[in-house]
Amino acid sequence: MFHKFKIGQRVRRAQSSPTDERLGFGTISEVVRLMPDDPTGEPSYRIRSGSAERAVRESEIIAAA
């Protein structure tokens, strides 16, 4: 499947939780790696905010303004 976001693009979580904010994901993150589609066929990414990094599905992030 086609990846909507590119490496280096700034994104943010579509819905942040208190855990996300505690880990530093309530702010702007950067796409650091395009990952294979998950079992449902949805593209996945590795994003980084500060020193924290996590995997997310495309539906979980939006482009940062």
Side-chain angles (χ1 to χ4, degrees), residues 12-40:
R12 63 182 176 90
R13 295 289 306 262
Q15 296 179 351
S16 63
S17 68
T19 301
D20 289 336
E21 292 176 17
R22 190 172 62 246
L23 294 174
F25 285 101
T27 59
I28 305 297
S29 299
E30 180 181 346
V31 174
V32 293
R33 185 167 35 142
L34 306 179
M35 296 175 56
D37 296 350
D38 71 7
T40 67

Side-chain angles (χ1 to χ4, degrees), residues 28-58:
I28 305 297
S29 299
E30 180 181 346
V31 174
V32 293
R33 185 167 35 142
L34 306 179
M35 296 175 56
D37 296 350
D38 71 7
T40 67
E42 184 175 5
S44 298
Y45 302 85
R46 291 292 294 184
I47 61 172
R48 182 182 310 144
S49 181
S51 62
E53 192 173 305
R54 77 181 305 165
V56 294
R57 293 187 189 131
E58 190 167 89

